[in-house]
Amino acid sequence: MQYPATHLVVMGVAGSGKSTLAAALSQQLGWACAEADEFHPAANIAKMSQGVPLQDEDRWPWLEEIRDWMTAQAAGGESTVLTCSALKRGYRELLSSADGRVVFLHLDGGAELISQRMQGREGHFMPPTLLPSQLATLEPLTPKELDAGSLRLDISPAPEELVAAVVQALNLPAGQAPRAS
């Protein structure tokens, strides 16, 4: 099945492995990769660095910027892999309005494992103290989102196993980005 440009949005709470999986998918598929964190304005980063959770009014402009980037990539016929927490259905609806096929890959795991991962990483502005607020905000993928092709992935397997599962489940040709018609 040939699709227009496809956007794989690797979603989940901080520390779930979004960056690791996105980089591995990007390498396997040969698609452009972007970190949603790079789209945050300085004010958002400052808040999170101080342990202050973002509110919806902080997130909407950030999400619109991400959607617009995906649309620009699709206009050039490019498929993408993107990390984005996409914690709420409303956020995913906004991102889904990007041109092309948008598929969410929800990395799901227990709070204890995710907290351990967060404590082991260095140089990231999101402190482990914000994990409870992210878990409280998270709205899992709905049956409608799952029926549309989005996937819930247990974070326990190695990244290469998750990549293989995604490529197989979505019938993606490794090394060939679907082109816009």
Side-chain angles (χ1 to χ4, degrees):
M1 179 177 239
Q2 184 68 25
Y3 292 104
T6 297
H7 307 290
L8 300 180
V9 180
V10 183
M11 62 164 283
V13 298
S16 60
K18 294 184 298 290
S19 297
T20 300
L21 181 59
L25 282 165
S26 173
Q27 182 176 1
Q28 176 73 25
L29 298 169
W31 295 1
C33 186
E35 294 274 345
D37 289 343
E38 296 170 6
F39 294 85
H40 272 298
N44 284 7
I45 293 172
K47 276 186 171 183
M48 290 183 285
S49 296
Q50 295 167 12
V52 177
L54 297 180
Q55 302 302 312
D56 281 349
E57 58 268 13
D58 301 314
R59 290 186 179 107
W60 291 119
W62 167 66
L63 292 164
E64 290 167 351
E65 192 75 24
I66 295 166
R67 179 209 50 211
D68 294 348
W69 178 82
M70 291 190 301
T71 292
Q73 297 302 307
E78 298 297 323
S79 292
T80 67
V81 180
L82 174 75
T83 66
C84 183
S85 53
L87 298 177
K88 291 184 178 181
R89 280 184 290 281
Y91 305 165
R92 296 190 297 271
E93 288 171 4
L94 187 145
L95 293 172
S96 292
S97 69
D99 289 350
R101 174 185 182 217
V102 180
V103 177
F104 294 94
L105 307 175
H106 177 193
L107 298 182
D108 195 13
E112 186 176 320
L113 174 59
I114 293 171
S115 180
Q116 288 173 355
R117 288 182 175 188
M118 287 182 81
Q119 291 172 17
R121 61 185 191 174
E122 297 178 12
H124 197 279
F125 58 80
M126 176 70 85
T129 55
L130 288 181
L131 179 58
S133 73
Q134 286 217 322
L135 290 169
T137 302
L138 176 65
E139 296 174 358
L141 293 172
T142 64
K144 181 180 178 183
E145 289 172 307
L146 293 167
D147 288 345
S150 290
L151 303 172
R152 182 203 156 274
L153 302 167
D154 181 336
I155 64 171
S156 300
E160 53 274 3
E161 292 177 54
L162 292 174
V163 168
V166 169
V167 168
Q168 180 179 9
L170 299 177
N171 194 28
L172 298 172
Q176 294 180 344
R179 296 289 179 184
S181 303

